[in-house]
Amino acid sequence: MARKKIALIGAGNIGGTLAHLIGLKELGDVVMFDVFPGVAAGKALDIMQSGPVDGFDSAMSGTGDYAAIAGADVVIVTAGFPRMPGMTRDDLLTKNAGVIGQVAEGIKTYAPNAFVICITNPLDVMVWVLQQKSGLPPEKVVGMAGVLDSSRFRLFLAQEFNVSVEDVTAFVLGGHGDTMVPLTRYSTVAGVPVPDLVKMGWTTQEKIDAIVTRTANGGGEIVKLLEKGSAFYAPAASAIAMAESYLLDKKRVLPCAVLLNGEYGQKDFYVGVPVVIGGNGVERILEVQFTPEEKAAFDKSCDAVKKLIEDFKKLGV
Ligand code: TXD
């Protein structure tokens, strides 16, 4: 049986970290594509040279030719431009939509059977563009944001309660970042919901509210510290969890941006909801019952994504 093939479109900070994790976890061989093929090839060679030390045999290569991704089982997309000072959101939308258009064409031509994970921002719109332009089935095209947002939420809750991150689960929905909707009553420490922990005196509602705000601004907090570039270790780890669930048919329940088709009363755009990821891609969408406040927050988040899609359509890219 041949090793799995994983194509990484974009060999920047996240792309390099993805390749390293794929090697360490022995998930398969890696092809990195970038408009700077030398960077892709250099990172691939460097990471492969850590294989003898760490004990992995993944073959890694870098390329500027889409033909090299042929037959990939998984494609993870990070290609694009980050927001620079003076750039508007429309500028980023236009530039990255152009990039994603090229990526969609490459995937459609060479890897139409792949499971595709998009990471490029603005996430919820870019993953929609990728699915529309590639024509791949929606259950095989997902966006990564919720796993990252919930991982940040889990860390901050674990720090607040002074317990292991392993025993904290978090439940987030909605668009990436500031419109994210954490459902604290489904977030737990070893099965005990956060609101019960507030009642038990483990924390206060004010502290939970502050943690929610910090989580929603989690990306911005890191951008500010780094001064150039954005988070890449946790985003890469999050996408790997999704890829692993697909490749190993683990059927993990993970919050991912998926195309809604009537679930939660919404349709025809991508937004984050909990889904089962298995060997068939998105195998099931979990539709939980909202309280009126949760529904209002989720609808507001959906409106923000829909507004960005409308802005994108007006650009005529
Ligand atoms: O939760 C999330 N979804 C995110 C999203 C969390 C963190 C960062 N997120 C976004 O991921 C971020 O806003 C960016 O849009 C992407 C990639 O982040 P990364 O930190 O890896 O950015 P880099 O280091 O700038 O890498 C981007 C690479 C770089 O090597 C470019 O040369 C390449 O993309 N690039 C291209 N590759 C292929 N094809 C085209 N057209 C292209 N254009 C640029």
Side-chain angles (χ1 to χ4, degrees), residues 9-16 33-36 39 43 66 77-83 92 96 98-100 102-103 118-123 126 143-146 148-149 152 176-177 219 229-232 234-236:
I9 314 296
N13 281 338
I14 299 180
F33 174 99
D34 203 286
V35 278
F36 295 105
V39 172
K43 286 195 182 186
Y66 271 109
V77 180
T78 59
F81 299 90
R83 201 153 138 186
L92 187 66
N96 282 353
V99 170
I100 294 297
Q102 295 166 13
V103 175
C118 181
I119 303 185
T120 302
N121 266 330
L123 190 269
M126 289 304 118
M144 189 294 294
L148 172 64
D149 290 331
R152 287 175 172 152
H176 179 39
S230 50
F232 52 99

Side-chain angles (χ1 to χ4, degrees), residues 24 30 60 191 195 273 310:
L24 291 172
V30 174
M60 305 218 175
V273 292
E310 287 313 312

Side-chain angles (χ1 to χ4, degrees), residues 10-231:
N13 281 338
I14 299 180
T17 312
L18 287 168
H20 195 197
L21 288 172
I22 290 164
L24 291 172
K25 289 176 169 264
E26 300 201 272
L27 290 179
D29 293 337
V30 174
V31 175
M32 299 172 90
F33 174 99
D34 203 286
V35 278
F36 295 105
V39 172
K43 286 195 182 186
L45 188 58
D46 185 12
I47 295 166
M48 214 173 22
Q49 288 170 356
S50 73
V53 181
D54 280 319
F56 64 80
D57 295 290
S58 300
M60 305 218 175
S61 60
T63 181
D65 179 1
Y66 271 109
I69 74 164
D73 299 286
V74 170
V75 180
I76 308 180
V77 180
T78 59
F81 299 90
R83 201 153 138 186
M84 295 294 184
M87 265 176 82
T88 65
R89 184 172 252 189
D90 279 1
D91 294 335
L92 187 66
L93 254 189
T94 322
K95 286 188 109 178
N96 282 353
V99 170
I100 294 297
Q102 295 166 13
V103 175
E105 202 53 49
I107 294 174
K108 185 180 174 181
T109 310
Y110 295 105
N113 298 318
F115 179 61
V116 181
I117 301 169
C118 181
I119 303 185
T120 302
N121 266 330
L123 190 269
D124 304 278
V125 183
M126 289 304 118
V127 63
W128 174 80
V129 172
L130 187 58
Q131 192 275 326
Q132 298 285 305
K133 297 211 168 180
S134 67
L136 263 63
E139 65 274 15
K140 298 292 277 300
V141 183
V142 296
M144 189 294 294
V147 177
L148 172 64
D149 290 331
S150 67
S151 184
R152 287 175 172 152
F153 194 35
R154 287 172 65 194
L155 172 70
F156 300 147
L157 288 173
Q159 288 176 331
E160 168 62 12
F161 296 130
N162 195 22
V163 298
S164 167
V165 289
E166 281 191 76
D167 295 318
V168 181
T169 61
F171 198 106
V172 301
L173 303 115
H176 179 39
D178 45 357
T179 64
M180 174 200 96
V181 183
L183 294 199
T184 49
R185 69 196 171 92
Y186 286 124
S187 303
T188 74
V189 172
V192 182
V194 167
D196 289 3
L197 292 162
V198 173
K199 282 187 208 140
M200 286 155 61
W202 275 43
T203 185
T204 60
Q205 190 54 48
E206 290 68 40
K207 285 193 176 158
I208 295 299
D209 292 345
I211 287 173
V212 166
T213 305
R214 187 177 178 197
T215 305
N217 299 327
E221 184 178 357
I222 289 178
V223 167
K224 210 168 153 199
L225 289 166
L226 294 179
E227 290 184 8
K228 46 179 190 216
S230 50

